Amino acid sequence: MATLLRSALRPLRALGGPRGPAADVPLRGVRHGAGLLYPGHIPTSPLQKALLAAGSAGMALYNPYRHDMVAVLGETTGHCALKVLRDQMRKDPEGAEILRERPRISLSTLDLDKLHSLPEGSLGQEYLRFLDVNRVSPDTRAPTRFVDDEELAYVIQRYREIHDMLHTLLGMPTNILGACECWCQSSSHGRFRMGAEPRVSSTCTMSGAGSSP
């Protein structure tokens, strides 16, 4: 039993290791070692995913500042939702192009000077203001690690990287009201059932987390 538990909990040790691929590196379907589907990938069994989901949920509720735990929870419980979202992207010309090209949103890929030059009230200007006021950036989003499908791994990474833009478009702050409104909009427009990540994220925000959920 002890050996089984040690094997099941092994992925937890990696959470304190390297953050994963750089934010300007596309997630691609190539092998990066034995069983690895993308940079930073940590293959896990169903038992390991269940333990990670339970542990990350408990930690996120105990310490709202552990946004990395909220990210782990979403990766280990959101497989079905990610498949629905991926399938919807495939049906849309723009979504299909995003899946083919795998663009990343980061400080190194954004043209900040051009965004600053945009007119007042434009999405670019408001997005930069949101990042500055809330002291966040696209680079603070946790890298995907526990999704055992490279295309779905990109989908959840993309979802995280555009989340602050959703806050900006809706004019929602990073509190419980803002979090709930963003998740409701995502659910209604995406027509997919949300996994555990957004529900715990909203709970963490209500508990006083300062970063964007």
Side-chain angles (χ1 to χ4, degrees):
M1 178 61 72
T3 301
L4 176 62
L5 286 176
R6 280 197 297 269
S7 175
L9 295 174
R10 187 176 297 117
L12 288 173
R13 302 193 191 108
L15 292 178
R19 294 267 310 164
D24 57 349
V25 176
L27 297 178
R28 291 294 179 189
V30 296
R31 293 287 174 176
H32 296 270
L36 304 185
L37 302 177
Y38 50 87
H41 176 224
I42 302 175
T44 48
S45 68
L47 174 59
Q48 289 172 324
K49 279 185 170 56
L51 292 173
L52 283 168
S56 58
M59 182 58 71
L61 291 171
Y62 175 75
N63 183 356
Y65 293 95
R66 292 297 303 271
H67 54 85
D68 56 332
M69 292 291 98
V70 179
V72 171
L73 181 62
E75 293 177 25
T76 53
T77 62
H79 182 75
C80 293
L82 289 174
K83 287 179 65 177
V84 173
L85 187 56
R86 186 268 315 275
D87 292 344
Q88 290 178 348
M89 292 179 69
R90 286 177 173 176
K91 296 176 183 178
D92 180 82
E94 187 173 349
E97 183 179 357
I98 290 174
L99 287 176
R100 285 194 305 270
E101 298 185 359
R102 308 280 177 91
R104 302 293 304 275
I105 299 175
S106 69
L107 293 180
S108 60
T109 61
L110 292 174
D111 189 339
L112 298 182
D113 291 335
K114 185 173 182 179
L115 292 180
H116 276 296
S117 68
L118 293 175
E120 191 70 23
S122 63
L123 175 59
Q125 278 278 1
E126 294 302 317
Y127 176 61
L128 289 180
R129 183 177 293 111
F130 176 90
L131 297 180
D132 182 59
V133 169
N134 293 281
R135 298 181 180 180
V136 296
S137 84
D139 295 350
T140 60
R141 294 297 175 185
T144 308
R145 294 186 175 183
F146 299 106
V147 177
D148 295 330
D149 181 296
E150 55 86 20
E151 190 171 46
L152 297 183
Y154 173 76
V155 169
I156 195 170
Q157 191 70 44
R158 176 76 177 183
Y159 184 77
R160 291 171 182 167
E161 291 173 355
I162 67 171
H163 185 71
D164 290 330
M165 291 186 183
L166 183 58
H167 272 275
T168 303
L169 286 169
L170 296 175
M172 289 290 110
T174 58
N175 56 21
I176 181 60
L177 175 63
C180 288
E181 177 65 21
C182 286
W183 295 126
C184 288
Q185 289 290 335
S186 297
S187 179
S188 61
H189 289 285
R191 295 185 177 86
F192 65 96
R193 175 180 289 182
M194 295 181 294
E197 177 179 357
R199 292 196 293 271
V200 172
S201 178
S202 297
T203 303
C204 292
T205 309
M206 181 163 46
S207 302
S211 59
S212 177

